[in-house]
DNA sequence: AGGAAGATGCTCT
DNA sequence: GAGCATCTTCCTA
């Protein structure tokens, strides 16, 4: 299945299959990439923890775009967080990209992060490492300077589901998916 | 290793 | 004005 098709499947099906895929950035003239290792599903209108719960607003506008659209929002006034819009057209499902393992452009990430460790192990850090900002909100992640690459689903069997982080509503839903460290 | 707390700005009621 | 889908630094072990 193509990436574009995969992203049109239900959010809870797509989220774990994003693990192991690459997120590539050419933003700001630097080539950087990570392998996704941590994501969270937000199931649109039926999910009290979703930014789209309660309907369309100025901020969540891009969540109502086609699957593969980037939804970037400011978190706690300081950080940027990146989501991939997922699911059938018009349904505001999204997957928050919470973390990845650096695979390309480590030097650029170090420069952006101004440190040598914890480069992309958190949603705010991931955006900073890849140069993602509010400018990228609404952009397509299927092509262009910020894009997803990979078949997906390869990580099945190495994925754990846990409760989501940093939310106060619907905390019981195990919709955070992490790539288990490969033994050895 | 892990908890506490402050920074900071935007969105929506 | 309240409430955040967070990160860092500063502490105690």
């Amino acid at each position: 299945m193509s990436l574009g098709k995969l992203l049109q499947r239900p959010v809870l099906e797509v989220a774990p299959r994003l693990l192991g895929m690459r997120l590539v950035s050419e933003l700001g003239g630097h080539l950087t990439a990570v392998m996704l290792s941590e994501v969270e599903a937000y199931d649109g209108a039926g999910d009290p923890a979703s930014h789209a719960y309660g309907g369309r607003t100025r901020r969540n506008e891009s969540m109502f775009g086609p699957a593969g659209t980037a939804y970037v929002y400011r978190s706690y006034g300081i950080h940027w967080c990146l989501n991939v819009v997922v699911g059938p057209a018009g349904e505001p499902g999204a997957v928050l990209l919470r973390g990845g393992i650096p695979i390309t452009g480590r030097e650029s990430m170090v420069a952006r992060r101004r440190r040598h460790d914890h480069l992309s192990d958190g949603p705010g850090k991931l955006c900073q490492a890849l140069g993602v900002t509010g400018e990228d909100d609404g952009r397509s992640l299927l092509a262009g300077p910020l894009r997803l690459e990979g078949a997906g689903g390869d990580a099945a069997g190495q994925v754990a589901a846990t409760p989501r982080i940093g939310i106060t509503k619907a905390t019981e839903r195990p919709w955070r998916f992490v790539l288990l460290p490969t033994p050895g």
Side-chain angles (χ1 to χ4, degrees):
Chain A
M1 190 178 350
S2 73
L3 177 57
K5 276 289 188 189
L6 172 64
L7 296 182
Q8 294 174 32
R9 313 277 309 167
V11 189
L12 289 173
E13 180 183 328
V14 176
R17 301 184 65 172
L18 294 180
L19 296 174
M21 290 184 46
R22 294 186 303 283
L23 178 62
V24 180
S25 167
E26 296 173 10
L27 299 170
H30 297 266
L31 178 62
T32 50
V34 301
M35 182 181 74
L36 294 176
S37 59
E38 180 182 356
V39 301
E40 280 177 4
Y42 286 88
D43 198 6
D47 180 1
S50 169
H51 285 172
Y53 187 75
R56 190 169 183 152
T57 66
R58 182 186 279 88
R59 179 179 62 162
N60 67 27
E61 179 84 28
S62 53
M63 291 183 81
F64 291 81
T69 301
Y71 165 49
V72 182
Y73 69 94
R74 180 134 8 218
S75 174
Y76 290 90
I78 306 170
H79 312 285
W80 296 107
C81 292
L82 170 64
N83 294 249
V84 194
V85 175
V86 166
E91 289 186 22
V95 177
L96 171 65
L97 306 183
R98 287 191 58 90
I101 299 163
I103 52 177
T104 304
R106 189 183 191 90
E107 288 307 308
S108 299
M109 298 190 203
V110 167
R112 282 175 174 145
R113 294 272 300 126
R114 301 205 195 102
R115 54 188 299 161
H116 293 263
D117 55 351
H118 297 288
L119 293 176
S120 55
D121 57 342
K125 301 181 221 179
L126 179 67
C127 283
Q128 189 181 12
L130 297 195
V132 175
T133 69
E135 303 258 308
D136 302 302
D137 182 46
R139 203 194 278 287
S140 173
L141 296 176
L142 297 176
L146 182 62
R147 61 187 180 272
L148 281 167
E149 290 181 357
D154 298 343
Q158 307 172 147
V159 175
T162 81
R164 294 176 289 184
I165 303 291
I167 58 172
T168 58
K169 288 166 288 197
T171 53
E172 74 289 352
R173 305 186 187 189
W175 290 356
R176 170 175 175 261
F177 301 95
V178 296
L179 205 56
L180 296 173
T182 61

